[in-house]
Amino acid sequence: MLNKKARVYFSCFMLILGTLIGFLLSKWSEIGSLGWREPDVITLTVRMPENGSLPSRMIYGKPDIAKAPRRDVMVLSPWLAPIVWAGTFNRDLLMEEFQHKKYRIGLTVTAIGKYVKLLKKFLESTERYFMKGGMVTYYVFTDRPDKVKALSLEVNRPLKIITVPKYPTWGHVVLGRMEILKNQSEVLFQQEVDYVVSLDVDMVLFSHIGVEILGELVSVIHPGYYHSPRKDLPYERRPASQAFIPEDEGDFYYQANFFVGTVQRIYQLATACYEGIVKDKANDIQAVVYEESHFNKYLVYNKPTKLLSPEYIWMNNLWRLKDIRIKRIVHGEKKF
Ligand SMILES: *[C@@H]1O[C@H](CO)[C@@H](O)[C@H](O)[C@H]1NC(C)=O
Ligand SMILES: *[C@@H]1O[C@H](CO)[C@@H](O)[C@H](O)[C@H]1NC(C)=O
């Protein structure tokens, strides 16, 4: 008797429980479907590759999430910008993306006065090692276009000579470069290129420099200071200068003889540096490392989106530490 009553109660209980679960499930799926419903209007602006075909097969070893690319050096800045070192990237993989999007690259180089003589060696090395297979245009800023033409440079990529004023001193030359970059970004670069790469003429490339250097705003960590504490970085420390950086600020010391960016970002960088230089001039002060001081100031407050390790500008007079596995570019070999 008791058993039968218990069975009835149990059946009733199960019936109610089942109804409840069914109700909850239906509500849950409603909520679920609401959450996952596609928005009614989708507006996407995606730059499609010019040739609509899919990328070819890409075969390479799978990245291992438990394996850091390098353990001896920082490969990601505290603001999440990658730091490019040998052993941290696969150039073939990067190249695939690059060729698909057909980026146009402008390589600018300043060859003023007797520095014109260094142009031949510089361009021989860029022909060999710079952006193989990329769409590159050389822009030579010079005050001696005839001397540049007389070099009969043999290059396989377009070369444009841009005449700049004859500056009285070397100080004026380096200060004037930001003005030229600013002007040419407005005039030429925004029509002709996607990325600007600015290099100095006293550099020689020794190894391939490829698409790994491209980014919105890219700067190179100076090889002479990359292990230095902040207090030893040669920032401008006088508040009177526009390039002033307080003692407790700054990340790395960057070298101004190699930087990369989109035309927009290079324009902003060059304009800021140029304006700082003009203000300093009006106040009769010259920043401690000329334009490089202004360049460093700008990058403290406008962080680079990618950093290149000192492999990208080495100097032979520096004691080479074991973290430098490869010297890609060497500068400062001024042999006239
Ligand atoms: C896309 O590229 C392939 C290989 O380069 C070529 O054969 C094809 O004609 C291209 N298609 C278009 C639509 O340009
Ligand atoms: C840059 O452009 C400005 C304004 O057009 C001009 O006054 C100046 O001379 C130009 N500077 C150089 C170095 O070309």
Side-chain angles (χ1 to χ4, degrees):
M1 192 66 192
L2 205 80
N3 246 348
K4 197 178 173 190
K5 207 172 169 187
R7 270 205 301 274
V8 170
Y9 278 138
F10 183 70
S11 303
C12 284
F13 173 73
M14 284 308 282
L15 196 70
I16 292 164
L17 188 71
T19 313
L20 198 69
I21 289 173
F23 175 74
L24 284 176
L25 271 177
S26 72
K27 278 292 160 206
W28 181 80
S29 65
E30 222 172 88
I31 291 165
S33 70
L34 270 181
W36 290 102
R37 209 173 64 195
E38 293 286 315
D40 291 336
V41 185
I42 304 174
T43 323
L44 289 178
T45 40
V46 180
R47 185 178 158 183
M48 293 301 287
E50 278 171 36
N51 186 328
S53 60
L54 288 168
S56 53
R57 269 161 59 73
M58 295 169 80
I59 298 164
Y60 52 87
K62 182 190 174 296
D64 181 350
I65 200 88
K67 201 169 157 233
R70 291 271 298 254
R71 292 194 182 276
D72 57 337
V73 287
M74 181 189 265
V75 297
L76 195 63
S77 77
W79 59 95
L80 299 180
I83 308 181
V84 183
W85 297 86
T88 62
F89 62 93
N90 177 337
R91 188 173 286 138
D92 295 339
L93 226 168
L94 291 168
M95 200 62 194
E96 192 67 38
E97 150 103 4
F98 168 79
Q99 275 173 341
H100 220 60
K101 301 224 167 119
K102 296 184 160 56
Y103 294 124
R104 301 160 302 166
I105 298 160
L107 173 58
T108 72
V109 60
T110 308
I112 302 280
K114 63 181 178 176
Y115 280 74
V116 168
K117 283 185 198 154
L118 299 178
L119 198 54
K120 205 174 170 76
K121 195 170 175 197
F122 171 81
L123 287 171
E124 273 166 14
S125 77
T126 57
E127 282 286 284
R128 188 148 174 218
Y129 293 122
F130 185 77
M131 291 290 166
K132 273 209 118 111
M135 289 202 280
V136 176
T137 304
Y138 296 119
Y139 296 92
V140 177
F141 301 148
T142 185
D143 58 345
R144 301 180 186 188
D146 296 342
K147 288 250 164 69
V148 172
K149 281 176 197 143
L151 290 174
S152 332
L153 298 161
E154 282 174 25
V155 288
N156 291 314
R157 310 189 257 200
L159 184 146
K160 297 192 175 178
I161 299 172
I162 293 158
T163 308
V164 303
K166 270 196 163 50
Y167 295 104
T169 66
W170 186 245
H172 287 84
V173 172
V174 290
L175 295 176
R177 182 170 58 178
M178 287 299 179
E179 185 186 7
I180 298 161
L181 275 177
K182 171 185 166 293
N183 281 12
Q184 294 305 328
S185 294
E186 289 169 309
V187 182
L188 266 185
F189 299 151
Q190 67 159 336
Q191 287 166 12
E192 299 188 355
V193 301
D194 297 305
Y195 291 101
V196 173
V197 178
S198 172
L199 285 178
D200 271 11
V201 73
D202 64 342
M203 291 175 150
V204 179
L205 282 65
F206 283 101
S207 175
H208 288 285
I209 306 290
V211 289
E212 77 278 4
I213 69 165
L214 299 179
E216 249 187 69
L217 183 61
V218 186
S219 56
V220 190
I221 301 172
H222 195 298
Y225 298 98
Y226 75 109
H227 283 290
S228 301
R230 194 183 255 158
K231 68 173 172 42
D232 294 342
L233 304 181
Y235 291 148
E236 175 57 69
R237 298 299 194 189
R238 294 168 299 171
S241 169
Q242 297 298 313
F244 169 61
I245 299 171
E247 296 280 344
D248 53 358
E249 291 187 52
D251 308 295
F252 301 104
Y253 188 77
Y254 304 110
Q255 204 159 15
N257 55 10
F258 183 3
F259 53 91
V260 182
T262 56
V263 176
Q264 177 71 15
R265 297 301 298 267
I266 292 294
Y267 175 72
Q268 289 165 345
L269 163 86
T271 305
C273 291
Y274 170 69
E275 285 170 359
I277 291 164
V278 168
K279 269 191 198 148
D280 270 9
K281 223 178 227 170
N283 295 327
D284 206 16
I285 186 168
Q286 169 121 273
V288 59
V289 199
Y290 304 109
E291 61 163 3
E292 193 164 273
S293 301
H294 294 273
F295 179 76
N296 272 278
K297 161 77 177 268
Y298 182 83
L299 294 175
V300 171
Y301 303 106
N302 303 271
K303 304 271 191 239
T305 60
K306 186 185 269 186
L307 304 173
L308 303 181
S309 69
E311 292 162 12
Y312 285 85
I313 332 176
W314 198 249
M315 286 183 280
N316 272 336
N317 59 357
L318 287 174
W319 183 48
R320 185 170 166 186
L321 298 168
K322 67 173 186 310
D323 46 24
I324 302 296
R325 293 187 188 167
I326 182 169
K327 292 189 281 184
R328 299 179 192 276
I329 297 185
V330 169
H331 95 112
E333 311 276 288
K334 295 182 184 65
K335 288 198 190 81
F336 293 104

